[in-house]
Amino acid sequence: PLNVALNGRDAWLTEQRLALAERLVRETGLPFYAIGERVGWTDPTHFLRTFKRRFGMSPSAWRRGKN
């Protein structure tokens, strides 16, 4: 079914975006809204919520814990 294929593709794309975002959070001092934009989110709040749901903490807590 098409919906299953789209959901799988969307999930894969989101995971790729989050992997890049995690690296940018860890390795740069870029503001989080800029990281979200760079990896494809247009809404900073949605990016922050999605990051927290995936990694279990906010980008700022992640950055503090990884440096």
Side-chain angles (χ1 to χ4, degrees):
L2 184 57
N3 286 342
V4 172
L6 289 175
N7 289 337
R9 185 188 68 200
D10 289 346
W12 179 86
L13 181 57
T14 298
E15 190 59 34
Q16 297 305 305
R17 288 176 172 170
L18 286 168
L20 178 56
E22 185 276 333
R23 194 180 99 215
L24 293 171
V25 166
R26 187 171 23 93
E27 296 179 358
T28 74
L30 287 170
F32 302 124
Y33 77 87
I35 292 173
E37 285 178 356
R38 191 171 281 196
V39 299
W41 267 272
T42 56
D43 178 356
T45 303
H46 186 228
F47 166 66
L48 294 173
R49 272 189 259 136
T50 304
F51 188 99
K52 185 172 184 177
R53 187 170 48 245
R54 168 62 179 83
F55 295 104
M57 62 183 77
S58 68
S60 58
W62 189 264
R63 183 176 277 165
R64 281 192 308 269
K66 297 297 175 181
N67 289 326

